C-alpha cells in the first residue's frame, strides 16, 4: 500500500478512533526502539509470518532516516540446508536473548499459541519492550506493554492496521543530532510518492 492509498484510507477513517489509535501505537513503537539499530524484533504466530509489515517498516526506516525501524524478522521455522539470507534465518531462539533496549513487536491475527507466549514472556523478563498487533488475545495483551487490536469481524482487519501503523511510524520524526536528513533526501522521497501509480485495488 503506497502513500496515496494510505492517505485515501485515512480520509475514509477520518472521525473514527482508528487514526488516533494507530498513531498512538506507532508513537509507542518509535519511542521504544530508541536510537539502537537492529533492536526491533518482529515475530508472528506459527501460522502467520508478518512479511508485509517487515517490508513496510524497512521502507519507512529508509524514507524517514530512522534505520532502527528496520526490523529483524524472527521465524518459527527456518529452512535447513537452503541458501537463506541471514536476515531471514533468525529463529525463535533469538527471543530468549532479547533484552533491555530491544523491542519485540508481535503480530498475531489468531491465537498466538502457548509456545510463542512463553518466548514473549522470556523476552519481557529479559527487559525487552513488548508490543502487540493482534485480534484481541488476552494472554498476549497481559504480556504487552502496549497493544492494538483488530478483532475479527471489526471495522478494520489486521492487514490494514499494519499498513496504518507502519506509515505512521515513519512520520513526524524530528532529526537527531548528527543525523539530519538532507534537503535532497526529502525532495527525493516526495518525488517518489508523487510518482506512485494511481491505486487500482486495495
Amino acid at each position: 500500500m503506497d502513500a496515496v492509498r494510505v492517505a485515501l484510507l485515512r480520509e475514509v477513517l477520518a472521525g473514527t478512533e482508528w487514526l488516533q489509535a494507530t498513531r498512538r501505537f506507532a508513537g509507542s513503537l518509535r519511542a521504544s526502539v530508541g536510537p539502537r539499530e537492529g533492536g526491533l524484533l518482529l515475530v508472528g504466530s506459527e501460522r502467520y509470518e508478518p512479511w508485509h509489515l517487515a517490508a513496510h517498516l524497512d521502507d519507512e526506516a529508509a524514507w524517514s532516516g530512522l534505520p532502527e525501524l528496520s526490523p529483524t524478522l524472527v521465524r518459527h521455522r527456518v529452512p535447513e540446508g537452503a541458501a537463506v539470507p541471514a536476515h531471514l534465518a533468525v529463529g525463535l531462539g533469538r527471543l530468549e536473548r532479547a533484552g533491555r533496549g530491544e523491542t519485540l513487536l508481535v503480530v498475531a491475527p489468531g491465537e498466538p499459541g502457548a509456545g510463542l507466549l512463553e518466548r514473549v514472556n522470556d523476552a519481557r523478563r529479559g527487559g525487552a519492550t513488548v508490543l502487540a498487533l493482534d485480534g484481541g488475545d488476552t494472554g498476549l495483551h497481559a504480556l504487552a506493554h502496549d497493544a492494538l487490536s483488530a478483532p475479527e469481524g471489526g471495522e478494520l482487519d489486521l492487514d490494514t492496521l499494519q499498513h496504518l501503523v507502519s506509515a505512521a511510524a515513519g512520520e513526524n520524526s524530528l532529526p537527531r543530532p548528527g543525523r539530519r536528513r538532507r534537503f535532497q533526501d526529502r525532495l527525493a522521497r516526495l518525488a517518489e510518492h508523487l510518482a506512485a501509480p494511481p491505486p487500482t485495488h486495495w
Side-chain angles (χ1 to χ4, degrees):
M1 187 179 291
D2 59 34
V4 175
R5 280 174 275 187
V6 169
L8 289 173
L9 179 58
R10 286 175 172 168
E11 185 176 334
V12 170
L13 295 173
T16 71
E17 64 181 12
W18 288 110
L19 294 187
Q20 182 178 355
T22 52
R23 285 187 167 126
R24 176 200 57 76
F25 187 85
S28 294
L29 172 60
R30 204 165 51 227
S32 69
V33 294
R36 177 178 177 178
E37 185 174 356
L40 176 57
L41 305 175
L42 177 62
V43 67
S45 64
E46 189 171 357
R47 296 183 177 184
Y48 179 85
E49 285 192 324
W51 290 94
H52 284 100
L53 181 57
H56 287 305
L57 285 173
D58 201 48
D59 286 342
E60 290 298 332
W63 291 338
S64 64
L66 298 172
E68 60 269 28
L69 285 177
S70 184
T72 296
L73 182 62
V74 179
R75 306 179 65 186
H76 286 254
R77 290 178 294 277
V78 177
E80 295 183 8
V84 181
H87 68 286
L88 299 179
V90 178
L92 287 176
R94 176 65 177 86
L95 301 186
E96 297 174 2
R97 304 189 301 276
R100 192 170 304 280
E102 294 184 305
T103 299
L104 173 60
L105 176 55
V106 185
V107 182
E111 291 187 13
L116 178 58
L117 289 179
E118 184 177 343
R119 305 275 186 150
V120 172
N121 187 43
D122 289 341
R124 177 171 176 138
R125 282 190 319 206
T129 298
V130 177
L131 304 176
L133 285 171
D134 65 0
D137 184 80
T138 55
L140 182 54
H141 281 216
L143 294 174
H145 294 91
D146 197 356
L148 186 58
S149 299
E152 187 175 351
E155 295 176 312
L156 290 186
D157 59 24
L158 190 61
D159 186 57
T160 302
L161 202 63
Q162 291 176 69
H163 284 299
L164 289 170
V165 167
S166 61
E171 290 178 341
N172 302 325
S173 33
L174 298 174
R176 297 187 185 138
R179 295 182 56 186
R180 293 183 61 186
R181 292 168 58 202
R182 295 183 305 151
F183 178 68
Q184 291 89 343
D185 294 335
R186 295 196 299 273
L187 280 180
R189 183 180 181 197
L190 176 61
E192 184 172 1
H193 283 307
L194 292 177
T200 56
H201 65 276
W202 289 91

